[in-house]
Amino acid sequence: MNKLIEPCIELAERAGDAIMAIYKKGDIGQQEKSDNTPVTKADLAANDVLVAGLKVLAPDIPIMSEETPIPALADRQDWQRYWLLDPMDGTGEFILESGDFAVNIALIENNHPVLGVIHWPAKGVTYFATAKNGAFKRENSIDKQISVAPPENLTLAVSRRQKVEAVSQYLNSQFTTIAIGSCSLKACTVAEGKADCFLRIGPTGEWDTGASQVIVEEAGGCITDAEFNPLTYNQRESTENPDFIVMGHPDWEWQKMINPHQRLSAE
């Protein structure tokens, strides 16, 4: 598995280059997918880079990507190992030109993430981890091990666009906020200790948490659903996530600080 991490980082960087080439030109080719979410030329270009590269790197490992048709559960439920991709997490941020979007590559083994790469092309930063080997941040070709912050003053990673009240209603604690775009980048903000918690309320896919989960876990934190149950991968027909919580240092009393909840069917 460790032999795969550098090729995956290189692939993520190449996908990031494809995204930035379109970002700088401004001709993003925005369309709407069948689920009413946006997709751009950059999403598709990054997907092409990743899928082609992974097929060469590991032709025997299946690939599940947000930007390709998802096989029926009957066709994938026996996968012991597969790639889980979000070619560009934060398409909305790409459209708004905030720079807060990322390339996500995860390797799932026995329904749990064991390798994660999250590349932030606008910043030239990459977060990565493999199971039982720690989490790291690569910046200016220098790797630094990262970890969640010890308890002090609670800092919540929040969306630039979602109202803070949408998540603060579930917190029984005072907090400050740090705003950043994509789901995976908010999770990395927790992993490197710049924030302590991130609550995601609303639809996401398993590809939004796969890479984040192994990075956060290796940094000393955890990701669960909104009732503190483990997230699942490739075990349901739907690949949609429940609401989820990214929690930093385990010394915080998370189950006292966060009100568990189930997503309402109307949401």
Side-chain angles (χ1 to χ4, degrees):
M1 182 171 56
N2 290 334
K3 293 179 180 179
L4 294 172
I5 193 68
E6 286 298 335
C8 285
I9 291 172
E10 181 182 347
L11 269 178
E13 290 174 346
R14 284 170 48 199
D17 289 343
I19 290 170
M20 293 306 294
I22 295 168
Y23 188 65
K24 291 173 182 177
K25 287 181 180 178
D27 180 19
I28 65 174
Q30 181 180 347
Q31 304 173 42
E32 294 294 319
K33 293 192 286 189
S34 58
D35 62 359
N36 297 317
T37 59
V39 65
T40 70
K41 289 180 181 179
D43 296 89
L44 302 178
N47 187 67
D48 289 345
V49 170
L50 295 180
V51 171
L54 291 173
K55 284 182 176 179
V56 173
L57 175 64
D60 58 325
I61 301 179
I63 300 170
M64 186 188 300
S65 170
E66 181 182 14
E67 304 306 341
T68 56
I70 304 300
L73 181 61
D75 297 325
R76 56 182 164 83
Q77 62 185 351
D78 294 328
W79 290 354
Q80 298 300 304
R81 199 180 200 206
Y82 68 98
W83 298 108
L84 181 61
L85 311 177
D86 190 344
M88 186 168 69
D89 178 36
T91 301
E93 299 296 328
F94 177 86
I95 293 168
L96 293 173
E97 300 182 350
S98 75
D100 288 353
F101 43 84
V103 178
N104 293 359
I105 302 175
L107 181 64
I108 311 297
E109 287 188 354
N110 300 314
N111 307 114
H112 193 85
V114 295
L115 176 153
V117 173
I118 296 173
H119 177 58
W120 191 352
K123 298 287 188 181
V125 169
T126 304
Y127 301 88
F128 62 95
T130 56
K132 300 181 180 179
N133 287 291
F136 297 85
K137 179 181 181 179
R138 180 172 296 179
E139 188 171 16
N140 298 321
S141 301
I142 297 172
D143 292 349
K144 177 184 177 182
Q145 188 162 6
I146 58 175
S147 62
V148 296
E152 193 172 338
N153 299 312
L154 184 69
T155 300
L156 190 67
V158 298
S159 170
R160 294 186 186 279
R161 294 179 290 156
Q162 188 178 42
K163 292 182 179 180
V164 174
E165 292 78 9
V167 294
S168 64
Q169 62 181 312
Y170 300 111
L171 278 171
N172 301 316
S173 177
Q174 297 295 314
F175 61 89
T176 58
T177 63
I178 180 171
I180 195 166
S182 79
C183 280
S184 60
L185 292 178
K186 283 192 279 289
C188 288
T189 302
V190 174
E192 65 177 318
K194 291 183 177 179
D196 301 297
C197 182
F198 161 44
L199 284 75
R200 170 64 195 198
I201 311 301
T204 59
E206 293 176 11
W207 41 76
D208 289 302
T209 53
S212 301
Q213 183 162 346
V214 63
I215 292 170
V216 169
E217 288 178 347
E218 288 300 310
C222 67
I223 302 182
T224 70
D225 72 13
E227 295 184 293
F228 302 101
N229 300 308
L231 296 180
T232 63
Y233 293 89
N234 201 33
Q235 294 178 285
R236 297 171 293 118
E237 193 69 55
S238 171
T239 54
E240 184 176 326
N241 276 331
D243 293 345
F244 63 84
I245 314 167
V246 180
M247 293 166 279
H249 203 285
D251 284 354
W252 288 102
E253 294 184 306
W254 295 115
Q255 296 203 27
K256 292 183 180 179
M257 296 166 60
I258 302 172
N259 299 319
H261 70 280
Q262 293 182 330
R263 183 182 299 169
L264 298 177
S265 59
E267 291 182 350

